[in-house]
């Protein structure tokens, strides 16, 4: 008896720094998703550039997204449902991800600018300086790919969980 092929379910939470992408992705877990923080795949030189507020070049980004794609490929071989949290500043990387995972559904996590900035000030795991964050915001390319939007303006999980449940059921 042969195994039936299955198509894993893949969601990507993406958006500006401080919007709550990782927090939102963690809230997919009660729906049976394996969560992956794309920042775990940062190459060391890129991590160092971010930590020291230095520019990140396209070669670094290319390597980074190859690593994310490879890691997600490993995860979908094991888990039927995967959610990835990553900024995905540039449309070209969203498209590259979709080439590898055409079933992936992108979810843009948005939050008011003041809310995002307050969250970034409180962040301890990977702090970002306000000027560096502003440059990232300026670089963020408006998504042209198909995507849904969830609003994360509060620090409570209830409203966000309801939005995520709607996104998961809508697929």
């Amino acid at each position: 008896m042969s195994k039936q092929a299955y198509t894993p379910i893949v969601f990507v939470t993406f958006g500006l720094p401080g919007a709550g992408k990782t927090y939102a992705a963690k809230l997919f877990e009660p729906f049976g998703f394996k969560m992956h923080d794309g920042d775990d795949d940062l190459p060391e030189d890129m991590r160092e550039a971010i930590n020291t507020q230095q520019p990140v070049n396209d070669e670094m980004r290319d390597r980074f997204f190859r690593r994310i794609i490879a890691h997600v490929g490993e995860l979908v071989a094991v888990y039927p449902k995967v959610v990835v949290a990553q900024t995905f500043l540039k449309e070209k990387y969203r498209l590259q991800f979709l080439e590898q995972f055409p079933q992936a559904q992108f979810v843009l996590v948005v939050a008011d600018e003041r809310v995002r900035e307050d969250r970034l000030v409180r962040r301890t795991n990977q702090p970002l300086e306000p000027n560096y964050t502003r440059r990232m915001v300026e670089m963020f390319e408006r998504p042209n790919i198909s995507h849904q939007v969830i609003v994360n303006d509060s620090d409570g999980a209830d409203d966000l969980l309801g939005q995520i449940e709607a996104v998961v059921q809508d697929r």
Side-chain angles (χ1 to χ4, degrees), residues 6 34 72-82:
Y6 79 98
K34 171 69 175 170
V72 172
E74 293 169 5
L75 291 172
V76 298
V78 177
Y79 300 97
K81 297 178 178 180
V82 174

Side-chain angles (χ1 to χ4, degrees), residues 81-152:
K81 297 178 178 180
V82 174
V83 60
V84 180
Q86 182 49 50
T87 306
F88 276 91
L89 288 176
K90 301 211 176 255
E91 186 80 354
K92 87 176 204 178
Y93 297 112
R94 299 174 202 143
L95 292 169
Q96 284 178 9
F97 192 88
L98 284 168
E99 284 176 22
Q100 294 299 310
F101 307 102
Q103 78 280 19
Q105 298 177 52
F106 278 73
V107 179
L108 179 62
V109 182
V110 298
D112 180 79
E113 183 178 355
R114 285 174 296 154
V115 171
R116 286 187 309 94
E117 288 180 358
D118 287 346
R119 288 179 183 149
L120 290 168
V121 167
R122 294 188 314 243
R123 184 187 276 183
T124 58
N125 63 328
Q126 188 178 26
L128 293 172
E129 292 296 320
N131 286 336
Y132 195 81
T133 302
R134 282 187 202 95
R135 288 194 305 262
M136 290 177 73
V137 169
E138 290 169 4
M139 289 176 49
F140 188 82
E141 295 177 359
R142 186 180 150 276
N144 291 313
I145 59 163
S146 176
H147 65 281
Q148 297 184 60
V149 177
I150 58 175
V151 179
N152 185 20

Side-chain angles (χ1 to χ4, degrees), residues 31 54 131 144 150 154 161:
F31 300 98
Q54 299 302 309
N131 286 336
N144 291 313
I150 58 175
S154 69
L161 250 175

Side-chain angles (χ1 to χ4, degrees), residues 3-50:
K3 283 186 172 181
Q4 282 190 337
Y6 79 98
T7 301
I9 298 168
V10 179
F11 278 93
V12 176
T13 58
F14 75 112
L16 296 174
K21 302 171 294 294
T22 303
Y23 180 69
K26 287 178 183 176
L27 293 177
F28 275 74
E29 290 177 328
F31 300 98
F33 283 81
K34 171 69 175 170
M35 187 273 200
H36 175 61
D37 185 345
D39 285 351
D40 292 344
D41 295 319
L42 281 167
E44 196 53 44
D45 60 340
M46 189 171 174
R47 187 179 305 275
E48 181 64 24
I50 293 168

